[in-house]
Amino acid sequence: MRYFLGLLFLFVQSLPSMAQKRPNVGEEIKFAQVQAEQMLLEIKGITGSPEKVSPRTIENGKLKMVISRDWTSGFFPGVLWYLYDYTQDPKWLKEAQSFTAKLEKEQFNTGTHDLGFMIYCSFGNGYRLTKDEAYKDVIIQAAKSLSTRFNPTTGVIRSWDHNRDKWEYPVIIDNMMNLELLFEATRFTGDSSFYKIAVKHADITLKNHFRPDYSSFHVVDYSPADGSVRSRVTHQGYADESAWARGQAWGLYGYIICYRETKDPRYLQQAKNIAGFILNHPNLPKDLVPYWDYNDPGIPNTSRDASAAAITASALYELAGYTDSTPYVKKADAILSSLSRSYKSPLRGNSGFILQHSTGHRPANSEIDVPINYADYYYVEALLRSKKVK
Ligand code: GLY
């Protein structure tokens, strides 16, 4: 009996620590609010470049603001929308509306595939939370602009217009993230052409971007004449055959979106396969925050990418809702726990970014081991999603 009571005592004692493994969303959002306040303060102190509307990273020790055309311009407005979502504080609503409005003209931008990131994270969240009809119109127009980059011969949306001497029709794995905007536009308008473009893009990407181990190349270059594959490379990673960490996270998140929108089991299977590649990779550190490329021979003496971890955590929470949830929730919780424990900025530090230790474009020697807006966006999104799963 005494032995049994002893065991019971130990079990009861361990309950709080077991429970603590779930993210403390309230505390983390409190921290995120202090950081956002700091960032707003620093933005107000910047004068003389009104065209720079959104904070992206820290460069040479200073807050770097970018113009609305920058692919990352939607993430800070998105963070503000999530803060409003969680707190319902009108202060965040006002700021989110104000930073979102600064991106309005990008709805007509046909020069980039990144409209999903720019418009969906800002106006998309804005519409979800306010049902403002004007936001809906911006989303529909952005979907029209993005659709102009689809070519029926290749069956995919063209991602980049640069490096024309190297590539004829480059498509990057990141492009999967921009399909969400198209699915939403079909829901808003009843026009299935957006949906069809998204599905075709996802199918062709599934066929051409992945290796047998379910890792993906970064760029597939197509021939616009006949849709054949000209080359497969990894522009932002260590080598063409390597697995660039953020690319794997974009692919995972992208196929989960496609499953949510279509219920096509092939997309769910692809997402599970990508999750398997990421979570079982021998070079994934114990804290589940990957190095910037799974195959960098410099591991462990190279930079991490906290953004890839945040995107993965958010994706896994959604994936958990479509399948046997426990293993994915546990992994996502563990990622958030690592990020909140060891990857957060000092309080009010880093100009108000929430996380640090992300890697933007290492081969270009750009944004290495820095705070970056998309790490913050997916971290806060993941925190909010963590509340919705058991
Ligand atoms: N979409 C560009 C990047 O992930 O760096």
Side-chain angles (χ1 to χ4, degrees):
M1 185 62 183
R2 190 184 289 170
Y3 175 71
F4 172 76
L5 283 176
L7 274 183
L8 189 68
F9 177 72
L10 276 178
F11 175 72
V12 170
Q13 268 219 320
S14 71
L15 278 179
S17 63
M18 280 161 72
Q20 270 165 23
K21 286 192 184 138
R22 298 289 352 254
N24 189 336
V25 179
E27 280 306 305
E28 297 308 326
I29 294 291
K30 239 187 244 167
F31 178 82
Q33 290 185 83
V34 174
Q35 294 304 98
E37 271 156 14
Q38 179 67 29
M39 186 161 274
L40 290 169
L41 202 68
E42 297 205 16
I43 291 171
K44 282 192 185 105
I46 299 173
T47 51
S49 343
E51 74 288 1
K52 301 221 170 147
V53 294
S54 205
R56 172 168 168 148
T57 185
I58 307 242
E59 196 175 64
N60 302 323
K62 288 218 312 251
L63 180 59
K64 179 180 175 178
M65 299 289 290
V66 290
I67 56 177
S68 65
R69 208 172 56 230
D70 187 276
W71 80 271
T72 71
S73 63
F75 293 118
F76 182 62
V79 168
L80 296 170
W81 282 117
Y82 279 133
L83 293 183
Y84 172 59
D85 190 353
Y86 187 82
T87 63
Q88 292 297 302
D89 185 336
K91 160 180 93 179
W92 296 123
L93 171 65
K94 199 169 138 267
E95 297 293 358
Q97 286 170 325
S98 155
F99 277 86
T100 294
K102 295 172 205 267
L103 312 188
E104 201 172 330
K105 70 173 192 284
E106 297 311 322
Q107 65 185 299
F108 301 107
N109 185 344
T110 55
T112 177
H113 74 115
D114 283 320
L115 285 183
F117 286 122
M118 296 147 80
I119 298 296
Y120 204 72
C121 299
S122 53
F123 287 90
N125 277 310
Y127 182 75
R128 180 175 64 81
L129 294 166
T130 65
K131 300 292 177 259
D132 181 336
E133 286 294 310
Y135 287 177
K136 196 192 240 186
D137 294 343
V138 172
I139 293 166
I140 295 167
Q141 177 53 49
K144 286 182 187 159
S145 299
L146 181 57
S147 300
T148 65
R149 301 181 67 80
F150 179 75
N151 171 341
T153 307
T154 58
V156 276
I157 297 162
R158 183 190 181 104
S159 300
W160 288 338
D161 292 342
H162 57 78
N163 279 323
R164 281 178 185 268
D165 52 327
K166 254 200 292 194
W167 301 314
E168 285 189 15
Y169 196 99
V171 177
I172 63 175
I173 189 68
D174 324 25
N175 205 145
M176 288 298 300
M177 298 296 286
N178 295 314
L179 306 183
E180 201 168 15
L181 176 74
L182 299 178
F183 287 119
E184 184 82 312
T186 284
R187 246 193 314 279
F188 286 164
T189 60
D191 176 352
S192 62
S193 60
F194 304 113
Y195 180 101
K196 285 182 185 151
I197 290 174
V199 166
K200 188 79 183 157
H201 183 99
D203 286 348
I204 300 286
T205 299
L206 200 152
K207 186 165 139 231
N208 291 327
H209 249 87
F210 289 87
R211 308 182 182 110
D213 64 359
Y214 302 107
S215 67
S216 53
F217 291 91
H218 182 205
V219 189
V220 175
D221 185 31
Y222 291 89
S223 163
D226 61 7
S228 60
V229 172
R230 296 183 68 242
S231 65
R232 293 179 171 89
V233 298
T234 296
H235 186 63
Q236 263 171 262
Y238 175 75
D240 288 343
E241 291 298 330
S242 73
W244 172 51
R246 197 163 52 258
Q248 312 316 305
W250 291 143
L252 171 66
Y253 196 120
Y255 279 97
I256 295 169
I257 293 172
C258 290
Y259 179 69
R260 180 211 304 153
E261 298 291 346
T262 65
K263 293 291 175 256
D264 183 333
R266 291 176 310 127
Y267 298 150
L268 179 61
Q269 192 53 50
Q270 188 68 4
K272 286 182 183 178
N273 291 340
I274 302 169
F277 173 84
I278 293 172
L279 297 172
N280 299 320
H281 200 285
N283 285 343
L284 181 68
K286 277 207 174 60
D287 71 0
L288 306 183
V289 178
Y291 294 96
W292 73 286
D293 188 304
Y294 289 93
N295 304 108
D296 181 350
I299 290 172
N301 300 313
T302 189
S303 55
R304 301 289 187 105
D305 184 10
S307 78
I311 297 158
T312 300
S314 186
L316 292 177
Y317 283 126
E318 182 169 359
L319 181 58
Y322 304 138
T323 182
D324 172 19
S325 63
T326 315
Y328 294 125
V329 172
K330 276 194 171 153
K331 291 290 183 185
D333 283 356
I335 294 171
L336 287 193
S337 158
S338 290
L339 290 175
S340 66
R341 198 176 49 242
S342 312
Y343 292 80
K344 280 208 312 253
S345 294
L347 190 67
R348 296 195 181 81
N350 281 337
S351 295
F353 286 101
I354 303 166
L355 296 179
Q356 47 190 357
H357 304 312
S358 289
T359 298
H361 191 160
R362 194 172 171 109
N365 211 15
S366 162
E367 298 177 335
I368 299 170
D369 195 13
V370 290
I372 204 140
N373 56 14
Y374 43 90
D376 290 4
Y377 176 85
Y378 290 101
Y379 176 66
V380 177
E381 180 181 85
L383 285 168
L384 267 55
R385 285 183 172 188
S386 78
K387 293 278 286 179
K388 296 193 179 127
V389 298
K390 295 205 175 67

